Amino acid sequence: MPALARAVEAAGLAVPGLPPKTLVAIDGGGAHGLGTVEADFFLFAEGQGQVAFGLATETGPLRCGVLPERQAAGAIGLALAAFAEIGGRRMRDLDAHGRAVIAAVAGFFPFEPTPLAPAPAPAAPGLAALSADSAALLVQAPFGRCTADRLEQVAALGGAQDVRLSAERGLALVVPASRSAALQAELARAGFIVAPDDPRRAVAACPGAPACRSGTTPVPDHAARLAQALAPLAGLTAHVSGCAKGCAHPGPADLTLVGRDGAYDVVLAGPPSGEPATRLAFEVALDRIRKAAAAGLPALDPVFQDDVPG
Ligand code: SF4
């Protein structure tokens, strides 16, 4: 699969005019995969030397058919060129005719698609034995952002035999089994998520201010504090968004804080574009979440619904 990924990347770079967010998802068919991934094109291993070719639509990816792995990069190159020619921001924005044209260009004619099954879910952060002597150490960058300092700490780790980017916006390290627990603890101290029950995994967050000009609040800092406050209320999801665009998670969460002029619109059980139940400074919102946690409330509505949106 790494060779196929490199060939696909080269094919994409040769196509002028592709939208900047164009993404091809490639999954090798192992026990842990990409899961549900927001891509434009899909190449999923399906049997020995075969690859399923998929296209994104508004309602989920469609499987156009299978082709030999050695032909996959060429087919993607043709599909990408057709996509650039047709125009459109994302593949899912195209209508049925546009999809049929792209499928035909890639070699799938007549176009008789079926739903493309998602790849297996990604592995959770933690340790997995690879052999008697080595282990895989999977870590995630909080909210998908890795600072230069954190990367330097990874580079300075003693003992890691291999380091790769993981599908879950983190890193997969191959480490000696004898050092695995110590290295895991070191990466936890560096701020990485190293265990599946880390409360930050229940919270989505964008960069916010000052990284993004549309933000007015320090979103990752607020999201980390919110995750701690929310931890006792296991099972609830949250999203801290720098503005109503909701880049990190356009869908609904149990609690969505939407930044505006230095404070947050509070949306309950809705997306960033949802109707706010109230509007609060972050510290006030945090205090209410702590109260809900202390009272063992199963939902957040009672602590947020008494206010009138400001
Ligand atoms: S949601 Fe708004 S503030 Fe956050 S990254 Fe997107 S545009 Fe920027």
mmCIF file of all heavy atoms in Angstrom, residues 205-209 211-217 219 239-249 258-259 272, ligand 1:
data_model
loop_
_atom_site.group_PDB
_atom_site.id
_atom_site.type_symbol
_atom_site.label_atom_id
_atom_site.label_comp_id
_atom_site.label_asym_id
_atom_site.label_seq_id
_atom_site.Cartn_x
_atom_site.Cartn_y
_atom_site.Cartn_z
ATOM 1 N N ALA A 205 -12.293 19.958 18.247
ATOM 2 C CA ALA A 205 -11.930 21.377 18.354
ATOM 3 C C ALA A 205 -11.135 21.797 17.132
ATOM 4 O O ALA A 205 -10.333 21.024 16.612
ATOM 5 C CB ALA A 205 -11.110 21.624 19.620
ATOM 6 N N CYS A 206 -11.339 23.018 16.696
ATOM 7 C CA CYS A 206 -10.557 23.577 15.589
ATOM 8 C C CYS A 206 -9.408 24.407 16.180
ATOM 9 O O CYS A 206 -9.300 24.538 17.396
ATOM 10 C CB CYS A 206 -11.457 24.429 14.695
ATOM 11 S SG CYS A 206 -11.901 26.007 15.435
ATOM 12 N N PRO A 207 -8.559 25.002 15.369
ATOM 13 C CA PRO A 207 -7.441 25.789 15.925
ATOM 14 C C PRO A 207 -7.893 27.064 16.637
ATOM 15 O O PRO A 207 -7.245 27.513 17.579
ATOM 16 C CB PRO A 207 -6.596 26.136 14.696
ATOM 17 C CG PRO A 207 -7.005 25.162 13.650
ATOM 18 C CD PRO A 207 -8.430 24.804 13.921
ATOM 19 N N GLY A 208 -8.996 27.671 16.199
ATOM 20 C CA GLY A 208 -9.452 28.914 16.823
ATOM 21 C C GLY A 208 -8.423 30.027 16.706
ATOM 22 O O GLY A 208 -7.510 29.983 15.869
ATOM 23 N N ALA A 209 -8.564 31.041 17.585
ATOM 24 C CA ALA A 209 -7.635 32.177 17.580
ATOM 25 C C ALA A 209 -6.379 31.820 18.373
ATOM 26 O O ALA A 209 -6.471 31.074 19.351
ATOM 27 C CB ALA A 209 -8.316 33.387 18.207
ATOM 28 N N ALA A 211 -4.650 31.160 15.556
ATOM 29 C CA ALA A 211 -4.228 30.460 14.337
ATOM 30 C C ALA A 211 -5.161 30.748 13.164
ATOM 31 O O ALA A 211 -4.721 30.835 12.018
ATOM 32 C CB ALA A 211 -4.159 28.958 14.606
ATOM 33 N N CYS A 212 -6.448 30.880 13.451
ATOM 34 C CA CYS A 212 -7.422 31.142 12.381
ATOM 35 C C CYS A 212 -8.019 32.530 12.576
ATOM 36 O O CYS A 212 -8.459 32.873 13.678
ATOM 37 C CB CYS A 212 -8.524 30.087 12.396
ATOM 38 S SG CYS A 212 -9.804 30.421 11.170
ATOM 39 N N ARG A 213 -8.067 33.296 11.502
ATOM 40 C CA ARG A 213 -8.545 34.678 11.599
ATOM 41 C C ARG A 213 -10.032 34.764 11.923
ATOM 42 O O ARG A 213 -10.509 35.790 12.392
ATOM 43 C CB ARG A 213 -8.269 35.411 10.278
ATOM 44 C CG ARG A 213 -6.837 35.903 10.173
ATOM 45 C CD ARG A 213 -6.654 36.758 8.960
ATOM 46 N NE ARG A 213 -6.996 36.020 7.746
ATOM 47 C CZ ARG A 213 -6.997 36.536 6.533
ATOM 48 N NH1 ARG A 213 -6.708 37.794 6.365
ATOM 49 N NH2 ARG A 213 -7.295 35.807 5.488
ATOM 50 N N SER A 214 -10.769 33.671 11.664
ATOM 51 C CA SER A 214 -12.204 33.706 11.954
ATOM 52 C C SER A 214 -12.499 33.456 13.428
ATOM 53 O O SER A 214 -13.623 33.637 13.878
ATOM 54 C CB SER A 214 -12.938 32.654 11.117
ATOM 55 O OG SER A 214 -12.767 32.909 9.755
ATOM 56 N N GLY A 215 -11.496 33.009 14.177
ATOM 57 C CA GLY A 215 -11.716 32.693 15.583
ATOM 58 C C GLY A 215 -11.453 33.881 16.484
ATOM 59 O O GLY A 215 -10.658 34.767 16.156
ATOM 60 N N THR A 216 -12.120 33.883 17.630
ATOM 61 C CA THR A 216 -11.897 34.949 18.621
ATOM 62 C C THR A 216 -11.584 34.368 19.992
ATOM 63 O O THR A 216 -11.496 35.111 20.965
ATOM 64 C CB THR A 216 -13.144 35.856 18.729
ATOM 65 O OG1 THR A 216 -14.265 35.041 19.101
ATOM 66 C CG2 THR A 216 -13.438 36.570 17.421
ATOM 67 N N THR A 217 -11.467 33.049 20.086
ATOM 68 C CA THR A 217 -11.202 32.398 21.374
ATOM 69 C C THR A 217 -10.096 31.348 21.205
ATOM 70 O O THR A 217 -9.944 30.776 20.119
ATOM 71 C CB THR A 217 -12.469 31.684 21.898
ATOM 72 O OG1 THR A 217 -12.903 30.756 20.897
ATOM 73 C CG2 THR A 217 -13.582 32.667 22.205
ATOM 74 N N VAL A 219 -9.384 28.156 21.180
ATOM 75 C CA VAL A 219 -10.224 26.952 21.162
ATOM 76 C C VAL A 219 -9.536 25.704 21.742
ATOM 77 O O VAL A 219 -10.121 25.021 22.593
ATOM 78 C CB VAL A 219 -10.737 26.699 19.726
ATOM 79 C CG1 VAL A 219 -11.416 25.344 19.621
ATOM 80 C CG2 VAL A 219 -11.705 27.803 19.326
ATOM 81 N N HIS A 239 -18.062 19.704 21.205
ATOM 82 C CA HIS A 239 -17.319 20.334 20.115
ATOM 83 C C HIS A 239 -17.123 21.796 20.479
ATOM 84 O O HIS A 239 -18.095 22.495 20.773
ATOM 85 C CB HIS A 239 -18.123 20.193 18.811
ATOM 86 C CG HIS A 239 -17.519 20.899 17.635
ATOM 87 N ND1 HIS A 239 -18.220 21.131 16.473
ATOM 88 C CD2 HIS A 239 -16.280 21.417 17.433
ATOM 89 C CE1 HIS A 239 -17.441 21.755 15.616
ATOM 90 N NE2 HIS A 239 -16.261 21.944 16.169
ATOM 91 N N VAL A 240 -15.886 22.236 20.485
ATOM 92 C CA VAL A 240 -15.600 23.661 20.661
ATOM 93 C C VAL A 240 -15.170 24.183 19.301
ATOM 94 O O VAL A 240 -14.160 23.745 18.746
ATOM 95 C CB VAL A 240 -14.499 23.902 21.712
ATOM 96 C CG1 VAL A 240 -14.329 25.403 21.951
ATOM 97 C CG2 VAL A 240 -14.842 23.196 23.019
ATOM 98 N N SER A 241 -15.957 25.102 18.772
ATOM 99 C CA SER A 241 -15.715 25.610 17.421
ATOM 100 C C SER A 241 -15.389 27.096 17.498
ATOM 101 O O SER A 241 -16.076 27.849 18.194
ATOM 102 C CB SER A 241 -16.967 25.386 16.562
ATOM 103 O OG SER A 241 -16.727 25.799 15.240
ATOM 104 N N GLY A 242 -14.375 27.507 16.761
ATOM 105 C CA GLY A 242 -13.985 28.915 16.801
ATOM 106 C C GLY A 242 -15.021 29.838 16.200
ATOM 107 O O GLY A 242 -15.096 31.016 16.548
ATOM 108 N N CYS A 243 -15.830 29.321 15.290
ATOM 109 C CA CYS A 243 -16.909 30.115 14.699
ATOM 110 C C CYS A 243 -17.963 29.150 14.159
ATOM 111 O O CYS A 243 -17.803 27.933 14.241
ATOM 112 C CB CYS A 243 -16.382 31.049 13.606
ATOM 113 S SG CYS A 243 -15.970 30.216 12.056
ATOM 114 N N ALA A 244 -19.002 29.699 13.567
ATOM 115 C CA ALA A 244 -20.134 28.863 13.143
ATOM 116 C C ALA A 244 -19.799 27.949 11.977
ATOM 117 O O ALA A 244 -20.575 27.057 11.642
ATOM 118 C CB ALA A 244 -21.317 29.756 12.779
ATOM 119 N N LYS A 245 -18.632 28.133 11.362
ATOM 120 C CA LYS A 245 -18.282 27.279 10.224
ATOM 121 C C LYS A 245 -18.111 25.818 10.659
ATOM 122 O O LYS A 245 -18.399 24.900 9.900
ATOM 123 C CB LYS A 245 -17.000 27.800 9.572
ATOM 124 C CG LYS A 245 -16.766 27.247 8.192
ATOM 125 C CD LYS A 245 -15.593 27.936 7.524
ATOM 126 C CE LYS A 245 -15.241 27.211 6.231
ATOM 127 N NZ LYS A 245 -13.934 27.588 5.728
ATOM 128 N N GLY A 246 -17.643 25.611 11.872
ATOM 129 C CA GLY A 246 -17.577 24.247 12.410
ATOM 130 C C GLY A 246 -16.623 23.326 11.683
ATOM 131 O O GLY A 246 -16.937 22.154 11.445
ATOM 132 N N CYS A 247 -15.442 23.812 11.347
ATOM 133 C CA CYS A 247 -14.500 23.015 10.541
ATOM 134 C C CYS A 247 -14.177 21.653 11.163
ATOM 135 O O CYS A 247 -14.043 20.662 10.458
ATOM 136 C CB CYS A 247 -13.195 23.774 10.359
ATOM 137 S SG CYS A 247 -13.374 25.296 9.440
ATOM 138 N N ALA A 248 -14.031 21.598 12.483
ATOM 139 C CA ALA A 248 -13.561 20.354 13.108
ATOM 140 C C ALA A 248 -14.623 19.272 13.114
ATOM 141 O O ALA A 248 -14.306 18.082 13.134
ATOM 142 C CB ALA A 248 -13.099 20.626 14.540
ATOM 143 N N HIS A 249 -15.891 19.674 13.112
ATOM 144 C CA HIS A 249 -16.964 18.674 13.221
ATOM 145 C C HIS A 249 -18.279 19.337 12.801
ATOM 146 O O HIS A 249 -18.997 19.885 13.643
ATOM 147 C CB HIS A 249 -17.032 18.171 14.670
ATOM 148 C CG HIS A 249 -18.109 17.157 14.904
ATOM 149 N ND1 HIS A 249 -18.123 15.928 14.290
ATOM 150 C CD2 HIS A 249 -19.219 17.191 15.687
ATOM 151 C CE1 HIS A 249 -19.186 15.251 14.684
ATOM 152 N NE2 HIS A 249 -19.866 16.002 15.521
ATOM 153 N N VAL A 258 -19.888 27.529 20.244
ATOM 154 C CA VAL A 258 -19.540 28.204 18.993
ATOM 155 C C VAL A 258 -19.019 29.602 19.312
ATOM 156 O O VAL A 258 -19.766 30.457 19.816
ATOM 157 C CB VAL A 258 -20.768 28.299 18.058
ATOM 158 C CG1 VAL A 258 -20.364 28.912 16.718
ATOM 159 C CG2 VAL A 258 -21.384 26.922 17.843
ATOM 160 N N GLY A 259 -17.747 29.829 19.038
ATOM 161 C CA GLY A 259 -17.126 31.106 19.378
ATOM 162 C C GLY A 259 -17.710 32.262 18.581
ATOM 163 O O GLY A 259 -17.966 32.145 17.383
ATOM 164 N N PRO A 272 -22.793 23.084 14.868
ATOM 165 C CA PRO A 272 -22.393 24.482 15.098
ATOM 166 C C PRO A 272 -23.382 25.488 14.508
ATOM 167 O O PRO A 272 -23.495 26.607 15.000
ATOM 168 C CB PRO A 272 -21.029 24.584 14.395
ATOM 169 C CG PRO A 272 -20.522 23.189 14.349
ATOM 170 C CD PRO A 272 -21.723 22.300 14.234
HETATM 171 S S1 SF4 B 1 -14.400 26.806 12.698
HETATM 172 FE FE1 SF4 B 1 -14.019 28.977 12.277
HETATM 173 S S2 SF4 B 1 -12.383 29.537 13.709
HETATM 174 FE FE2 SF4 B 1 -12.397 27.300 13.571
HETATM 175 S S3 SF4 B 1 -10.885 26.815 11.978
HETATM 176 FE FE3 SF4 B 1 -12.922 26.902 11.001
HETATM 177 S S4 SF4 B 1 -13.071 29.018 10.233
HETATM 178 FE FE4 SF4 B 1 -11.415 28.983 11.761
#
